């Protein structure tokens, strides 16, 4: 649960005049922006009567849910709407971590308190407060989640107190109230403090309300890990509690936890992982995104600045936000990456919790990507009626549940307040209709067990009442419908209301800026901090619509075009749109089409190129739509080709003088051509450089290439096209050398070459890939020795196998003393044939990606149909001939592949964990320095499949 702030530039003092902060203002003038565009001509504005009808419908829906909870469930924590009874922990089958939110403290009632006031139900609010004071016990012997208890219960009590004192001040209601909810909040705060008894300051994930953490009867305190959001989503509630009560310890503990997370961020990427060790600060899960496990950490950094006025929180947020937009944001998608390798996607699916992010971007003032991501999410909802818990990059269901989460409604509300575009009212109307049509049951609203089938689950979480109806009502309410000014408050992640005047109350914490101790920041970090509506909406009432329009068919794979496409099929009208499978980087016409579609090229530091599509840069909305479909096809092509084939690394062994098989280069395999694993003898021949060197057109030196192994440079066209050209010239094999100067498998991930999306059965020769450093070893050998012979094989061969049946030149023996026993080795070879054939291979982590033209890459796939994986071993191995022992098994076999659970769209990965290295003395040399980082990532990959929201 996350919520963007509902604040403006001003707030109300507890009993004093309105004020404005002298420092940089972050909060948006949302209502003024709304008034600018609300009556935009041609925008299809919703009538006041329709808005009021929908607002009243929201009230009726809330009454249906709330009354059923009070009638059938209270004082239980939650309502079970299918069986019309309360969910009491311990009396129902355990649901695992989900039940950690339940503490036998009437969770739903506390979570709903300030919603009652927002919906103008002051009488019900007064009754509810009395029930909470009278009935709720916070001293239960029960283990609860620190995170959930903080945002739902502590936040609910503080939100209830905030609106209670507001109503009391108005003089009409709550005149009897004397801070009872605040007293309960303080009691609960003290019960949560034992969780912070760690050396790092990060709290344990769970605490026993009665016995704390380390008490023998606590039944908790053994955990070592917590999620980043769990430890980083405390500052608003804890600081508010300190400011309300004058007790500084709560804010101090929350600040310490935030400071520790900030210090432990990955310094090169400025990203944080999903889970962290609370004792050591080591990242346990190193994937990073804006969804489950991290979401509200980012949210609370920004809102802590708004509420508390501490610039260091804003600086931290802006630093993280820059990293998010640099690595995670791939408009309109938000895809998790690795914190140490931020260009490497960690998964191909998104979880529903990231739906809060467009709302947070509104608060940040970055409106364009907010509109894009929100529209993408809306298209998913229109396809499935609700937002699945997780969905893939091609918008298929990954996890089918939907527990009636409010994040999308939240972002819809803030986008409407920021743009005034009535389109978002229609989105809200769709949400209302879907809830009533698919989730409404006689005893409330039931979560969706499967959005594809419409089946229900017997749960109605407290956040449904705390957030969903609050945001939907505010979406349709006018200012005169509210009994107080919502702009005087900020929303917590659970949509609880905290007054902005807390920033000037009981400031017991010194505002030491710890951020600049760790990072250099300049004014660019504050871009869009205090946006001007004239910049956000440049006198264009159709601004938001122009951004949304290209995304209308992003989920619909058929992308209907109407008459214009039909005309194209008849040969009239413009040419059909470019398809991903046909794209050629060497074709200038294709590059021009990309530009028209708003697709731009980004050159990465490692020499690769990415394709990124910005719909607003397209020549027209139709071109933008073509571009979106083109990018989606790249994703699908990538996923399809990874599923088709995953191959281990191959070996290029130099067998001519003076190497004689002692130099083995680790090579990337191809998903087409001869399968070297089925041809144990491999392909042996002299190498020759082709003309043209890129191999993208007909070979002009076929006489030199015939019966040779062709060397060519990466780039300009598809790998399969290169293979066909050299095969036509008579080559018996091919080696593609990376054109990225200095690249090496010592430091860069190994690549696997994929096909071109077409049938590649016509390619029968073997094709291998070498990085620039390894390729130069062969090129240097050619310059020095002219005739260089290599062996392309699945594994490096021992020299007894290489020279078996061949005349051994005298100069081999003369120049290599250790070869004096070669005759003996050859005579013994037959008895050890099997062992000899299982010779060492240069084991390497291999990653396959989709086939795209070389030199080009999209934000969802790599250009050369290659994708990186961290190298485990040296790519060049020199055998120690003196230690050669005849007839022994001379190599360690590669370990089985450790397959990643998720198919990656941008860099499709198949991780192969390996400890082996090509050597000839049957000893595995230590590679700790190289393996350490990779093994950590392997663990993260394995945990991803087990990941639960």
């Amino acid at each position: 649960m996350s919520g963007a702030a509902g604040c403006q530039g001003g707030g109300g003092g507890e009993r004093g005049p309105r004020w404005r902060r002298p420092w940089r203002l972050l909060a948006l003038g949302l209502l003024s922006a709304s008034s600018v565009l609300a009556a935009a001509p041609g925008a299809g504005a919703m009538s006041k009567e329709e808005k009021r009808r929908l607002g009243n419908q929201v009230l009726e829906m809330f009454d249906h849910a709330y009354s059923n909870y009070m009638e059938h469930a209270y004082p239980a924590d939650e309502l079970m709407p299918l069986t019309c009874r309360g969910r009491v922990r311990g009396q129902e089958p355990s649901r695992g971590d989900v039940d950690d939110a339940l503490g036998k403290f009437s969770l739903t009632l506390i979570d709903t308190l300030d919603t009652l006031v927002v919906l103008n139900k002051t009488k019900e609010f007064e009754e509810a407060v009395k029930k909470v004071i009278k009935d709720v016990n916070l001293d239960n012997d029960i283990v609860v989640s620190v995170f959930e208890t903080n945002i739902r219960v502590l936040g609910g009590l503080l939100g209830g107190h905030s609106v209670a004192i507001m109503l009391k001040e108005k003089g009409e209601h709550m005149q009897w109230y004397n801070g009872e909810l605040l007293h309960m909040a303080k009691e609960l705060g003290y019960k949560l403090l034992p969780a912070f008894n760690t050396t790092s300051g990060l709290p344990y994930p769970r605490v026993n309300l009665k016995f704390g953490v380390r008490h023998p009867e606590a039944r908790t305190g053994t955990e070592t890990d917590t999620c980043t959001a769990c430890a980083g989503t405390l500052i608003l509630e804890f600081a508010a509690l300190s400011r309300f009560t004058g007790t500084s310890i709560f804010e101090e503990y929350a600040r310490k936890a935030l400071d520790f997370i900030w210090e432990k961020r990955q310094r090169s990427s400025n990203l944080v992982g999903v889970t962290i060790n609370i004792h050591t600060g080591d990242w346990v899960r190193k994937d990073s995104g804006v969804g489950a496990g991290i979401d509200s950490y980012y949210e609370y950094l920004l809102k802590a600045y708004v509420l508390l006025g501490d610039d260091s929180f804003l600086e931290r947020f802006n630093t993280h936000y820059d990293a998010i937009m640099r690595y995670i944001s791939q408009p309109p998608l938000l895809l998790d990456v690795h914190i140490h390798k931020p260009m490497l996607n960690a998964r191909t699916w998104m979880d529903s919790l990231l739906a809060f992010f467009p709302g947070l971007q509104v608060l940040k003032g970055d409106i364009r990507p907010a509109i894009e991501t929100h529209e993408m999410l809306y298209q998913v909802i229109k396809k499935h009626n609700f937002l699945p818990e997780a969905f893939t990059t091609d918008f298929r269901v990954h996890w089918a549940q939907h527990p009636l989460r409010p994040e999308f409604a939240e972002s819809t509300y803030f986008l409407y307040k920021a743009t005034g575009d009535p389109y978002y009212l229609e989105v809200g109307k769709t949400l209302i209709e879907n809830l009533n049509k698919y989730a409404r049951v006689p005893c409330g609203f039931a979560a969706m067990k499967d959005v594809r089938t419409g089946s229900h689950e017997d749960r109605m979480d407290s956040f449904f009442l705390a957030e969903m109806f609050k945001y939907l009502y505010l979406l349709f309410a006018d200012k005169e419908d509210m009994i107080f000014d919502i702009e005087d408050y900020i929303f917590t992640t659970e949509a609880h209301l905290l007054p902005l005047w807390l920033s000037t109350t009981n400031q017991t914490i010194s505002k030491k800026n710890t951020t600049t101790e760790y990072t250099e920041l300049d004014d660019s970090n504050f871009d869009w901090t205090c946006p001007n509506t004239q910049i956000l909406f440049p006198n264009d009432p159709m601004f938001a619509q122009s951004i949304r329009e290209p995304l209308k068919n992003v989920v619909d794979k058929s992308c209907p075009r109407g008459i214009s496409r039909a005309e194209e099929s008849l040969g009239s009208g413009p040419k059909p749109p470019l398809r991903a499978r046909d794209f050629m980087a060497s074709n200038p016409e294709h590059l021009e089409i990309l530009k028209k579609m708003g697709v731009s090229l980004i050159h990465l530091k490692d020499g690769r190129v990415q394709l990124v599509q910005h719909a607003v840069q397209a020549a027209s909305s139709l071109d933008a739509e073509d571009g979106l479909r083109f990018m989606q096809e790249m994703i699908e092509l990538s996923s399809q080709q990874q599923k088709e084939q995953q191959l281990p690394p191959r070996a290029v062994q130099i067998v001519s003088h003076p190497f004689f098989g002692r130099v083995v280069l680790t090579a990337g395999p191809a998903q087409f051509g001869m399968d070297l694993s089925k041809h144990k003898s491999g392909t042996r021949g002299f190498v020759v450089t082709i003309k043209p060197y890129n191999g993208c057109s007909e070979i002009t030196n076929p006489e030199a290439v015939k019966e040779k192994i062709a060397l060519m440079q990466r780039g300009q066209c598809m790998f399969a096209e290169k293979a066909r050209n050299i095969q036509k010239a008579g080559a018996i094999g091919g080696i593609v050398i990376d054109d990225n100067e200095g690249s090496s498998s010592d430091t860069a991930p190994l690549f696997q070459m994929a096909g071109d999306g077409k049938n590649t059965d016509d390619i029968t020769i073997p094709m291998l890939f070498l990085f620039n450093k390894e390729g130069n070893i062969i090129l240097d050998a050619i310059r020095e020795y002219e005739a260089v012979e290599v062996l392309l094989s699945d594994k490096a061969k021992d020299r007894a196998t290489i020279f078996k049946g061949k005349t051994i030149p005298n100069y081999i023996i003369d120049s290599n003393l250790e070869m004096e026993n070669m005759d003996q080795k050859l005579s013994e070879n037959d008895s050890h044939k099997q062992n000899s054939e299982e010779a060492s291979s240069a084991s390497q982590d291999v990653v396959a990606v989709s086939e795209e033209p070389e030199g080009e890459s999209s934000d969802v796939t790599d250009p050369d149909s290659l994708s990186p994986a961290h190298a485990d071993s040296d790519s060049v191995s020199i055998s120690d001939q003196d230690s050669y022992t005849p007839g022994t098994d001379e190599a360690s076999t590669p370990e089985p592949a450790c397959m990643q659970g998720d198919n990656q769209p941008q860099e499709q990965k198949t991780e192969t964990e390996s400890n082996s290295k090509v050597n000839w003395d049957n000893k595995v040399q230590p590679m700790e320095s190289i393996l350490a980082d990779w093994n950590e990532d392997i663990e993260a990959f394995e945990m991803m499949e087990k990941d639960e929201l």
Side-chain angles (χ1 to χ4, degrees):
M1 286 131 293
S2 296
C7 63
Q8 265 189 292
E14 185 171 9
R15 287 178 177 81
R18 294 177 65 85
W19 51 271
R20 286 188 179 271
R21 302 191 186 100
W23 53 80
R24 298 180 181 92
L25 283 176
L26 175 83
L28 285 170
L30 294 176
L31 291 181
S32 59
S34 177
S35 62
V36 170
L37 296 180
M46 183 178 287
S47 68
K48 201 172 185 69
E49 293 73 18
E50 177 69 358
K51 283 182 65 179
R52 187 171 298 277
R53 183 189 71 80
L54 291 169
N56 289 335
Q57 191 170 359
V58 173
L59 293 176
E60 185 279 328
M61 294 165 66
F62 172 83
D63 289 340
H64 177 67
Y66 180 70
S67 62
N68 273 286
Y69 165 75
M70 296 303 296
E71 179 180 351
H72 298 292
Y74 182 81
D77 284 316
E78 290 179 346
L79 169 68
M80 300 174 69
L82 299 183
T83 53
C84 300
R85 57 195 174 98
R87 183 181 297 279
V88 179
R89 193 167 173 186
Q91 296 182 12
E92 303 294 336
S94 173
R95 300 176 298 170
D97 292 348
V98 175
D99 283 339
D100 288 344
L102 311 181
K104 298 182 179 179
F105 35 36
S106 302
L107 174 63
T108 297
L109 183 60
I110 293 177
D111 219 2
T112 309
L113 288 176
D114 52 7
T115 302
L116 290 164
V117 178
V118 172
L119 272 57
N120 201 11
K121 295 181 178 293
T122 52
K123 180 180 178 181
E124 291 87 344
F125 171 73
E126 197 155 354
E127 293 173 353
V129 172
K130 291 177 179 179
K131 285 182 180 294
V132 169
I133 295 171
K134 175 176 177 289
D135 298 338
V136 172
N137 177 24
L138 297 174
D139 194 38
N140 300 314
D141 178 12
I142 192 168
V143 177
V144 297
S145 162
V146 173
F147 168 75
E148 297 290 356
T149 304
N150 172 66
I151 66 172
R152 300 203 209 187
V153 185
L154 182 58
L157 292 170
L158 292 172
H161 172 70
S162 299
V163 294
I165 60 176
M166 177 270 297
L167 291 174
K168 183 177 182 179
E169 185 176 336
K170 288 180 177 293
E172 298 179 20
H173 304 281
M174 303 296 293
Q175 296 305 301
W176 56 270
Y177 181 70
N178 195 31
E180 289 85 353
L181 294 178
L182 181 59
H183 298 321
M184 294 180 68
K186 188 174 182 180
E187 176 190 356
L188 180 60
Y190 277 118
K191 289 184 175 296
L192 295 178
L193 285 185
F196 292 82
N197 189 15
T198 62
T199 55
S200 68
L202 299 179
Y204 283 94
R206 298 174 185 84
V207 68
N208 187 297
L209 290 177
K210 189 176 186 70
F211 297 110
V213 172
R214 297 191 174 180
H215 192 279
E217 299 179 60
R219 304 186 306 283
T220 188
T222 59
E223 304 93 341
T224 59
D225 308 332
T226 191
C227 73
T228 301
C230 299
T233 310
L234 300 160
I235 186 64
L236 292 189
E237 292 83 0
F238 273 49
L241 183 58
S242 287
R243 303 295 175 98
F244 272 129
T245 64
T247 306
S248 64
I249 188 171
F250 304 109
E251 185 172 345
E252 290 171 359
Y253 274 53
R255 281 178 177 264
K256 184 179 179 182
L258 274 181
D259 290 346
F260 189 81
I261 295 174
W262 170 253
E263 183 179 357
K264 291 299 180 180
R265 78 194 185 283
Q266 212 291 319
R267 300 302 177 88
S268 61
S269 67
N270 282 319
L271 295 173
V272 293
V274 174
T275 55
I276 188 172
N277 186 295
I278 60 176
H279 303 296
T280 66
D282 295 332
W283 291 110
V284 179
R285 274 191 49 189
K286 301 176 181 65
D287 44 319
S288 183
V290 296
I294 303 179
D295 50 359
S296 49
Y297 161 69
Y298 294 134
E299 176 188 2
Y300 269 37
L301 285 177
L302 184 57
K303 291 182 178 179
Y305 165 71
V306 176
L307 183 65
L308 307 178
D310 189 334
D311 282 1
S312 68
F313 291 130
L314 178 61
E315 292 174 3
R316 295 181 192 183
F317 172 80
N318 280 328
T319 301
H320 284 314
Y321 187 79
D322 177 73
I324 290 168
M325 300 309 290
R326 185 186 306 271
Y327 302 119
I328 296 171
S329 176
Q330 300 173 23
L333 309 179
L334 292 164
L335 294 175
D336 286 16
V337 299
H338 296 281
I339 58 174
H340 297 292
K341 306 179 186 70
M343 300 308 298
L344 199 63
N345 281 351
R347 58 174 60 139
T348 60
W349 49 270
M350 296 164 279
D351 66 70
S352 62
L353 286 173
L354 62 76
F356 92 99
F357 198 67
L360 188 63
Q361 289 179 305
V362 170
L363 179 62
K364 163 71 175 172
D366 200 358
I367 199 75
R368 186 185 303 276
I371 293 173
E372 291 175 335
T373 298
H374 179 276
E375 182 61 24
M376 177 271 293
L377 294 170
Y378 184 44
Q379 297 303 319
V380 174
I381 288 174
K382 290 205 292 186
K383 181 176 182 179
H384 300 295
N385 299 320
F386 297 98
L387 201 58
E389 278 291 73
F391 55 93
T392 63
T393 53
D394 52 356
F395 311 111
R396 291 191 293 263
V397 172
H398 186 70
W399 293 333
Q401 310 96 312
H402 174 73
L404 307 182
R405 293 199 185 276
E407 285 76 20
F408 181 76
E410 166 193 342
S411 289
T412 302
Y413 164 64
F414 288 110
L415 275 169
Y416 176 65
K417 297 299 288 184
T419 66
D421 190 335
Y423 175 83
Y424 296 108
L425 297 178
E426 295 297 333
V427 173
K429 182 179 179 180
T430 299
L431 299 182
I432 292 173
E433 292 172 347
N434 288 351
L435 285 170
N436 279 322
K437 184 174 181 180
Y438 301 108
R440 186 164 182 149
V441 294
C443 286
F445 290 83
M448 307 304 297
K449 187 175 184 179
D450 192 319
V451 298
R452 296 164 297 190
T453 63
S455 58
H456 289 127
E457 188 175 353
D458 199 6
R459 65 184 284 194
M460 188 180 81
D461 291 82
S462 67
F463 54 71
F464 182 60
L465 286 166
E467 300 184 69
M468 180 68 83
F469 294 115
K470 191 176 291 176
Y471 289 125
L472 287 178
Y473 181 75
L474 289 172
L475 177 63
F476 296 104
D478 292 322
K479 195 167 186 177
E480 56 268 24
D481 298 324
M482 304 291 297
I483 61 174
F484 67 100
D485 189 354
I486 195 69
E487 303 298 329
D488 289 341
Y489 297 82
I490 189 170
F491 286 122
T492 69
T493 195
E494 190 78 0
H496 293 307
L497 300 175
L498 298 176
L500 291 174
W501 52 258
L502 286 175
S503 62
T504 58
T505 302
N506 291 325
Q507 296 185 46
T508 57
I509 307 296
S510 62
K511 297 179 183 177
K512 179 186 177 185
N513 189 335
T514 59
T515 301
T516 52
E517 296 177 11
Y518 306 113
T519 185
E520 292 293 329
L521 292 169
D522 54 37
D523 287 342
S524 65
N525 284 277
F526 295 92
D527 287 350
W528 297 98
T529 293
C530 188
N532 183 305
T533 56
Q534 294 304 309
I535 297 175
L536 285 179
F537 319 108
N539 300 318
D540 182 3
M542 304 299 288
F543 173 76
Q545 181 179 342
S546 67
I547 299 175
R548 285 193 310 267
E549 191 62 32
L551 295 157
K552 290 297 185 184
N553 291 319
V554 67
V555 176
D556 184 1
K557 294 183 179 180
S558 63
C559 292
R561 302 300 188 154
I563 298 176
S564 61
R565 294 304 184 209
E567 291 173 346
E568 291 165 13
S569 65
L570 296 174
S572 60
K575 294 182 179 180
L578 179 64
R579 309 307 296 265
R581 64 176 180 267
D582 300 325
F583 175 58
M584 301 294 293
S586 58
N587 189 327
E589 184 180 353
H590 287 186
L591 297 178
E592 186 62 31
I593 293 174
L594 283 191
K595 186 176 180 180
K596 282 188 63 180
M597 295 191 299
V599 178
S600 56
L601 279 68
I602 298 178
H603 294 271
L604 306 179
K605 293 181 179 179
D606 61 4
R608 290 175 296 136
V609 182
Q610 283 189 333
L611 299 176
V612 179
Q613 204 256 0
H614 294 285
V616 294
Q617 296 176 4
S620 67
S621 60
L622 186 62
D623 289 314
E625 191 175 334
D626 287 341
L628 284 169
R629 193 205 60 259
F630 176 83
M631 301 297 282
Q632 185 175 334
E633 286 180 353
M634 284 293 189
I635 295 174
E636 294 169 355
L637 189 61
S638 174
S639 299
Q640 174 188 352
Q641 290 172 343
Q642 185 188 4
K643 293 173 184 176
E644 287 176 356
Q645 196 174 18
Q646 301 298 341
L647 301 174
R650 306 304 189 199
V652 175
Q653 195 167 3
I654 307 180
V655 299
S656 55
H657 171 79
F659 306 98
F660 308 122
R662 290 174 296 171
V663 173
V664 181
L665 309 175
T666 299
Q671 292 184 347
F672 53 86
M674 178 190 293
D675 185 352
L676 291 171
S677 66
K678 298 178 180 179
H679 294 77
K680 293 298 183 180
S681 59
T683 295
R684 178 171 175 166
F686 288 91
V687 293
V688 62
T689 302
I690 63 171
K691 298 177 182 179
Y693 190 30
N694 60 29
C696 293
S697 58
E698 185 175 353
I699 306 304
T700 58
N701 59 336
E703 299 82 5
V705 173
K706 188 174 182 180
E707 299 300 324
K708 302 288 197 311
I709 294 176
L711 296 178
M712 69 212 78
Q713 188 177 48
R714 172 186 179 183
Q716 303 302 315
C717 64
M718 306 291 251
F719 289 120
E721 184 178 353
K722 296 176 187 289
R724 291 187 178 98
N725 287 335
I726 64 171
Q727 180 174 282
K728 183 178 178 181
I732 60 173
I735 298 174
V736 178
I737 299 176
D738 191 13
D739 60 344
N740 181 25
E741 187 67 31
S743 66
S744 168
S745 59
D746 291 337
T747 55
L750 189 66
F751 286 130
Q752 175 168 312
M753 298 185 288
D756 56 3
K758 305 172 184 177
N759 190 321
T760 55
D761 291 345
D762 59 313
I763 302 174
T764 58
I765 60 174
M767 293 287 291
L768 296 181
F769 177 90
L770 291 177
F771 278 106
N772 186 264
K773 176 183 174 182
E774 290 74 54
N776 280 336
I777 292 176
I778 296 182
L779 295 175
D780 290 343
I782 293 175
R783 282 190 285 270
E784 186 166 354
Y785 303 105
E786 294 186 2
V788 175
E789 189 178 16
V790 301
L791 173 66
L792 312 183
S793 60
D794 63 331
K795 300 177 182 179
K797 310 299 182 185
D798 64 84
R799 283 170 296 154
T801 300
I802 294 173
F803 293 107
K804 182 181 179 181
K806 296 182 180 292
T807 300
I808 304 173
N810 290 332
Y811 60 76
I812 293 181
I813 300 175
D814 293 340
S815 61
N816 298 279
L817 296 177
E818 72 279 3
M819 291 298 289
E820 292 176 355
N821 296 323
M822 178 62 77
D823 289 337
Q824 177 185 352
K825 295 173 186 177
L826 293 180
S827 65
E828 293 178 359
N829 186 68
D830 288 340
S831 63
H832 299 283
K833 180 178 180 181
Q834 182 176 358
N835 287 340
S836 298
E837 290 182 349
E838 293 176 355
S840 171
S841 68
S843 179
Q844 201 76 332
D845 301 306
V846 181
V847 179
V849 296
S850 78
E851 173 54 30
E852 280 187 82
E854 294 190 46
E856 304 294 335
S857 171
S858 79
D859 59 345
V860 292
T861 183
D862 262 343
D864 289 314
S865 311
L866 302 174
S867 177
H870 199 77
D872 279 333
S873 59
D874 292 337
S875 58
V876 182
S877 291
I878 309 297
S879 64
D880 183 355
Q881 298 181 17
D882 292 330
S883 62
Y884 181 90
T885 304
T888 58
D889 184 1
E890 299 172 13
S892 54
T893 2
E895 296 182 14
C898 175
M899 301 297 290
Q900 177 185 341
D902 298 321
N903 294 330
Q904 300 302 320
Q906 190 169 30
E907 298 169 280
Q908 304 302 321
K909 300 154 187 88
T910 303
E911 317 287 350
T912 304
E913 187 175 4
S914 171
N915 297 324
S916 62
K917 175 183 177 180
V918 177
N919 62 61
W920 298 91
D921 57 4
N922 202 30
K923 296 179 181 179
V924 179
Q925 299 183 14
M927 298 296 297
E928 289 83 354
S929 60
I930 296 178
L931 288 172
D933 186 47
W934 179 241
N935 287 335
E936 290 177 353
D937 285 347
I938 286 291
E939 295 171 7
F941 277 130
E942 291 171 345
M943 292 183 66
M944 278 178 210
E945 231 5 59
K946 305 174 183 177
D947 180 27
E948 294 290 337
L949 284 177

